[in-house]
Amino acid sequence: LLVISWALGEVQGAYLLWGVFRNPLYPRQTGNIDALEKERRRLRRTGLVRRVLLGLVSPLAMIAFLAVDESLQRLHSAALSVGFTRAFRVVWQSTEDALLQMCVVAVVRLTARSANWVWWDDLGTGIQLLLVGLALDRLGQLRWKLQFL
């Protein structure tokens, strides 16, 4: 879902892959009104699919992922409860960020199982999402500040 929503967002811009390539779907000339409207309709459809994906499909899939998580059944600490509360809130308020965080948690979980990181599994999904959210936020801040150097 993350890759599909990212790709649909990229297709709607004038340039693809962070401004490296010109988008062939984006209207090149505005002289021919019929061609321009045809291109705009195609971009609107792409935007509609992305909006439905981000507004409905992704949040429901993430809620389902959180609802079937086994650490939700053992909410034994306040930190884990706060983590899950934040996760359920972020799903609806910042869907793309929540989707990225859940993908990172899933990848780290797969890596942790093969590397025997018992401490990572003991944290629970709520705290894992809190840590990943904090790390991604700090990395975004660092990238933003380095852009001005």
Side-chain angles (χ1 to χ4, degrees):
L1 286 174
L2 178 66
V3 173
I4 292 170
S5 67
W6 175 81
L8 289 174
E10 281 285 312
V11 166
Q12 289 181 304
Y15 294 95
L16 300 173
L17 299 174
W18 305 284
V20 176
F21 302 107
R22 183 155 171 59
N23 186 354
L25 299 176
Y26 202 78
R28 290 192 177 137
Q29 300 175 1
T30 59
N32 187 355
I33 299 297
D34 293 331
L36 180 65
E37 286 301 317
K38 183 180 177 183
E39 296 292 333
R40 280 190 178 169
R41 271 185 256 132
R42 191 180 312 164
L43 288 173
R44 277 192 210 123
R45 285 187 203 124
T46 305
L48 180 65
V49 169
R50 183 174 188 263
R51 183 171 229 170
V52 167
L53 193 67
L54 283 177
L56 189 64
V57 175
S58 294
L60 292 176
M62 288 185 284
I63 293 292
F65 171 77
L66 290 171
V68 299
D69 189 61
E70 70 266 356
S71 63
L72 184 63
Q73 306 304 322
R74 53 180 176 90
L75 286 176
H76 61 278
S77 68
L80 198 57
S81 299
V82 168
F84 266 104
T85 303
R86 180 195 171 275
F88 281 113
R89 180 185 57 83
V90 169
V91 162
W92 293 105
Q93 290 182 346
S94 183
T95 305
E96 283 185 278
D97 292 337
L99 194 55
L100 176 63
Q101 291 170 12
M102 287 191 189
C103 287
V104 169
V105 165
V107 167
V108 172
R109 273 188 183 172
L110 291 174
T111 305
R113 288 205 175 118
S114 64
N116 286 332
W117 292 352
V118 178
W119 61 272
W120 180 256
D121 290 332
D122 290 341
L123 288 177
T125 306
I127 297 174
Q128 290 171 355
L129 287 168
L130 272 171
L131 291 175
V132 168
L134 180 68
L136 289 175
D137 180 60
R138 295 296 101 196
L139 286 173
Q141 288 287 327
L142 178 67
R143 187 190 70 166
W144 183 75
K145 289 178 181 178
L146 289 177
Q147 281 179 340
F148 292 108
L149 288 179

